[in-house]
Amino acid sequence: MQQRIAELKLALSFGNLDYFKIKIYFADNKSKKVVEANVCGVTDERVILNHGIGIPINRIYRTFKFYN
């Protein structure tokens, strides 16, 4: 969990500087999903993406960083 938060905070820093995007693999109540977006914020419980979309950190099982 701490490693996920650290990776998301790093993505937030790069996103603010270089339009850095990240792929986030997460699971909701129905299935596994993936989203590509800029990270706009990170709290103790959620990552905030473009347009105010939030994903609970405990639902994230993998991240993959890439540049746009």
Side-chain angles (χ1 to χ4, degrees):
M1 180 77 106
Q2 294 299 329
Q3 182 178 354
R4 264 186 267 152
I5 292 171
E7 289 174 354
L8 293 167
K9 286 183 178 180
L10 182 62
L12 172 63
S13 298
F14 285 131
N16 289 336
L17 298 174
D18 299 317
Y19 302 104
F20 183 79
K21 285 191 173 184
I22 188 170
K23 262 188 189 179
I24 298 176
Y25 297 84
F26 65 100
D28 66 6
N29 293 337
K30 297 180 182 179
S31 65
K32 292 185 177 182
K33 302 185 185 292
V34 63
V35 64
E36 297 178 9
N38 291 351
V39 175
C40 299
V42 178
T43 69
D44 290 337
E45 298 178 2
R46 294 185 170 276
V47 59
I48 311 301
L49 306 177
N50 305 30
H51 309 291
I53 297 168
I55 300 174
I57 292 175
N58 65 344
R59 296 288 189 141
I60 298 171
Y61 62 89
R62 181 175 171 221
T63 60
F64 177 78
K65 297 169 259 191
F66 63 98
Y67 286 93
N68 200 8

